[in-house]
Amino acid sequence: MKKIINPILTGFNPDPSIIRVEEDYYIATSTFEWFPGVQIHHSQDLINWNVITHPVGEKQIDMIGDPDSGGVWAPCLSYDNGVYYLVYTDVISHMGPYKDTHNYLISATDIMGPWSDPVYLNSSGFDPSLFHDDDGKKWILNMIWDHRKNKNSFAGIVMQEYSEREKSLVGPIYNIFKGTELGLTEGPHIYKHNGYYYLMTAEGGTRWDHAITVARSTQLTGPYEVDPQSPMLTSAYKPELELQKAGHGSLITTPNNELYLVHLCGRPVKPSGNCILGRETAIQLCEWTEEGWLRLAKGGNDPQVTIAAPPSPEYRIHSTAGRVDFSVDQLPIEFQSLREPQYEGWLSLKDRPGFLRLKGRESLYSTQRQSLIARRQQAFSVEVETVMEYEPECFQQMAGLIYYYNTKNYHYLFVSYDEEFGKYLGIMSSNRGVYEEPIQDWVSLEEHKSIYLKADIHHEEMRFSISTDGQQWDEVAPTLDASIISDENAELVKDGVALDQGFTGAFVGLCAQDLSGRKKHADFNYFQYRER
């Protein structure tokens, strides 16, 4: 019997929403500030998955200025009568008492697009979901956010009818579920089975207490009865489990009526306990009980690492590891930028054929226009390498290889210029916004037109190396702390109040800054990503 090994989507791939169209399975995952928005993964065996498209592009969203871990939250992918639907949130702000969360719907007759212009839905909360009822009506659900003091901020799951003809929400708003004692009720999806409407929600928050709760009703608008054995899935208070943070699920039935649940998870590294790969996606085999409740097929509510796969032909995976030579017309799909499209104004594969040219713009602290291109780290042990040609003319010009979480957390191996020392190589690290330079003695590059750069990441440790010929490598810094590139480190809580939050994951990539505004460019010949 074939097996599925979890997680099925490694690296930063949270908030999965799954559908099946005939023999094809698709999962949509959150991308937050990374552009283009929403990763769509495709499979035909539930074991092997390929990223095939990002439907939220330039005409669907403008994320310039969106904060770290803002942007696209928790998409919901659905299919009805030959049309694919995607609903998602653009989060403009998410710290403090308020959340500015604008929800949109787009559609397409082909999963590869073209996708429609966005239809604005509401801004009352986040995690929108679209339910297609048997009578042809469509309903939008989302959690509702209450900013008032001494109120439950996660104020319930609200629902309103969506009119395709009017392209808007119509009719009364129903608050159909206030949640359980686990709290932080979000991520709603509705399914229909044997005369019941089943409401699946995420509860407990997307950290260690995360869980999936199921409730049911004979009426769409409720009242909803909570599963007496709730939660149906959780890793809470079970530190021995390999898959932690289990929650935020989505349900699918195979052509042979097997029942599977995809869900968010995290894999902490030791000793820090941080999840450097971010929140990932796993899958569980489920079943309906005689009493009509959803359960894991193996019993209990612990997420399993290994489960039985459905009978199906093997689906070939296209590895994203390996070397990318920049003699291509466009970058591979795994490369994403921050908040805006890849366009010739700052990134070019044409200016110098065979090279990726990045034109320096704003600082690593900017939420506006960074010249940074990167891909997810998808294994605990990886090696990343590039070669760069760069001739900075002032200290405000920098370019190099970066290990990036957000504007406040990164390690950066860079080349710059000092008016006394000349062209040099240095390292800058930022931990929760505190800037450090781990090496005091810069490496002179006055005699070198090109420089090879390497990052070696192994669980919680990372090392930078350089070479002048790509053969002989020299480490240029003490071992750096890779665990700061994580949600856990990005989250800052004081007196029970979150002052900062992070929901993404580790990226490795290339970048250039020119704080003088002259757009000094750096040329990269290749990018190699190798998993060990």
Side-chain angles (χ1 to χ4, degrees), residues 255-312:
N256 295 321
N257 286 321
E258 297 115 335
L259 193 61
Y260 285 88
L261 171 80
V262 293
H263 65 90
L264 177 160
C265 69
R267 293 180 291 166
V269 293
K270 295 179 180 179
S272 71
N274 293 356
C275 299
I276 63 171
L277 299 186
R279 297 172 302 153
E280 305 174 287
T281 287
I283 190 168
Q284 306 296 328
L285 181 61
C286 297
E287 62 186 15
W288 295 106
T289 68
E290 292 183 1
E291 294 77 25
W293 290 110
L294 185 66
R295 298 278 186 268
L296 298 182
K298 285 195 173 183
N301 62 6
D302 296 355
Q304 306 293 314
V305 174
T306 304
I307 65 167
S312 59

Side-chain angles (χ1 to χ4, degrees), residues 225-350:
E225 168 197 9
V226 176
D227 180 348
Q229 293 188 26
S230 182
M232 70 84 55
L233 181 77
T234 189
S235 315
Y237 310 109
K238 304 167 191 173
E240 72 281 2
L241 295 180
E242 183 174 335
L243 303 180
Q244 291 292 316
K245 302 185 178 181
H248 201 117
S250 178
L251 205 58
I252 196 67
T253 302
T254 72
N256 295 321
N257 286 321
E258 297 115 335
L259 193 61
Y260 285 88
L261 171 80
V262 293
H263 65 90
L264 177 160
C265 69
R267 293 180 291 166
V269 293
K270 295 179 180 179
S272 71
N274 293 356
C275 299
I276 63 171
L277 299 186
R279 297 172 302 153
E280 305 174 287
T281 287
I283 190 168
Q284 306 296 328
L285 181 61
C286 297
E287 62 186 15
W288 295 106
T289 68
E290 292 183 1
E291 294 77 25
W293 290 110
L294 185 66
R295 298 278 186 268
L296 298 182
K298 285 195 173 183
N301 62 6
D302 296 355
Q304 306 293 314
V305 174
T306 304
I307 65 167
S312 59
E314 184 175 352
Y315 176 69
R316 179 172 295 181
I317 190 170
H318 306 297
S319 175
T320 62
R323 176 172 168 137
V324 177
D325 290 300
F326 292 128
S327 55
V328 293
D329 294 329
Q330 62 181 26
L331 292 176
I333 195 169
E334 63 267 22
F335 284 89
Q336 290 189 274
S337 52
L338 285 168
R339 299 178 178 83
E340 64 173 338
Q342 304 164 21
Y343 65 90
E344 286 287 322
W346 67 273
L347 175 153
S348 178
L349 292 164
K350 299 176 182 177

